[in-house]
Amino acid sequence: MHKLEPEVSEIKHEINAYLKTQLDYYYSLLFNGTEARNTGLSWIIRTILYLGGKISLERFPKFMDPESVKYLLEATTLEIEKEKMQKLLSKFVCAPPQGAATCKDLSESHCSKNSRNEESFSTSLGQKENLKLSMTIVMKQKDEEEMKLLQRMKKINEKMKELQADEIARLTNNYLQQSLHSKPRKYDVQIMLIALFGEEQG
């Protein structure tokens, strides 16, 4: 056992070194602010969080003001929650309701017993009706849970659109104010839009 400890320690060291290298790479991508892809810089933030890293203000591009950073963090949080909701919904679509197979097996079992024993016919019919009722309750609960998830998804999408509209309006107002006062622009608006909302939006 003691002979393995140095090997385990070395493996842990290699894993930590690899994670640090990965984090440093994504931190540099975030700081440069040019790898926006289709979702903006939020994909980099999600990756950093997945790797166990932390996000702080100094990690963001210099052309971003605190308000844009706040927007990006809020939007990323909503995207993560949306992904969780989508995974839960996919389980409802792919998986049968809990207890459904058991009810079916029990129902078939009762039918088999009925064919062999006519005296228990009325009792088994009652049991089958109870099983059908239980199945109906299970399906209703599944539908209610699925509906709650869909409603939550709708609220998330609405919140994301609201956040984006507010940030675009704020950036537009800032740009107009700078133009009116003939002040030099602190950042390129196109680069900012791509960093926040992705290449397609930019």
Side-chain angles (χ1 to χ4, degrees):
M1 185 66 180
H2 293 290
K3 293 181 180 180
L4 293 176
E5 288 181 359
E7 295 182 9
V8 172
S9 179
E10 184 178 351
I11 291 172
K12 287 182 178 180
H13 177 74
E14 291 177 357
I15 291 174
N16 289 333
Y18 174 77
L19 287 175
K20 185 180 183 304
T21 301
Q22 289 290 298
L23 281 171
D24 288 343
Y25 171 71
Y26 287 108
Y27 280 139
S28 67
L29 287 184
L30 181 60
F31 186 77
N32 291 332
T34 55
E35 295 293 330
R37 299 186 180 180
N38 292 329
T39 60
L41 298 179
S42 62
W43 77 270
I44 302 177
I45 298 174
R46 290 199 305 271
T47 304
I48 290 172
L49 293 175
Y50 175 77
L51 292 172
K54 296 181 179 180
I55 304 295
S56 54
L57 186 62
E58 61 269 16
R59 298 291 187 182
F60 288 86
K62 293 297 184 183
F63 59 76
M64 275 192 182
D65 61 10
E67 287 299 317
S68 289
V69 171
K70 180 182 178 183
Y71 160 79
L72 200 53
L73 291 174
E74 289 180 356
T76 303
T77 300
L78 289 173
E79 288 173 8
I80 293 172
E81 187 174 357
K82 183 178 178 179
E83 288 176 1
K84 290 179 180 178
M85 294 297 103
Q86 288 173 333
K87 289 180 181 179
L88 289 173
L89 281 170
S90 66
K91 291 181 180 179
F92 276 101
V93 173
C94 299
Q98 188 176 3
T102 304
C103 291
K104 180 180 178 182
D105 293 341
L106 288 173
S107 179
E108 290 176 352
S109 175
H110 283 302
C111 289
S112 176
K113 289 180 181 179
N114 288 341
S115 63
R116 297 195 301 268
N117 189 356
E118 294 182 0
E119 292 181 359
S120 62
F121 184 75
S122 59
T123 302
S124 295
L125 274 180
Q127 291 174 336
K128 284 174 65 179
E129 290 300 320
N130 288 336
L131 287 172
K132 288 180 180 179
L133 179 60
S134 298
M135 187 64 180
T136 301
I137 293 173
V138 169
M139 290 297 293
K140 184 178 179 181
Q141 291 174 342
K142 174 181 175 292
D143 291 341
E144 288 176 351
E145 291 176 11
E146 188 175 4
M147 183 59 66
K148 288 180 181 179
L149 288 175
L150 289 171
Q151 289 174 349
R152 179 59 187 160
M153 279 280 290
K154 182 180 178 181
K155 289 181 179 179
I156 291 173
N157 288 330
E158 290 174 350
K159 182 63 176 176
M160 290 176 70
K161 289 180 180 179
E162 180 184 344
L163 280 175
Q164 181 172 328
D166 290 345
E167 181 62 9
I168 290 175
R170 189 187 71 84
L171 292 175
T172 302
N173 182 63
N174 284 354
Y175 175 75
L176 292 174
Q177 290 294 323
Q178 289 176 8
S179 299
L180 288 172
H181 294 87
S182 299
K183 293 181 180 179
R185 287 159 58 183
K186 294 181 180 179
Y187 52 79
D188 186 279
V189 175
Q190 188 72 11
I191 293 177
M192 174 69 86
L193 291 175
I194 291 174
L196 292 175
F197 310 118
E199 294 176 356
E200 293 181 358
Q201 294 292 334

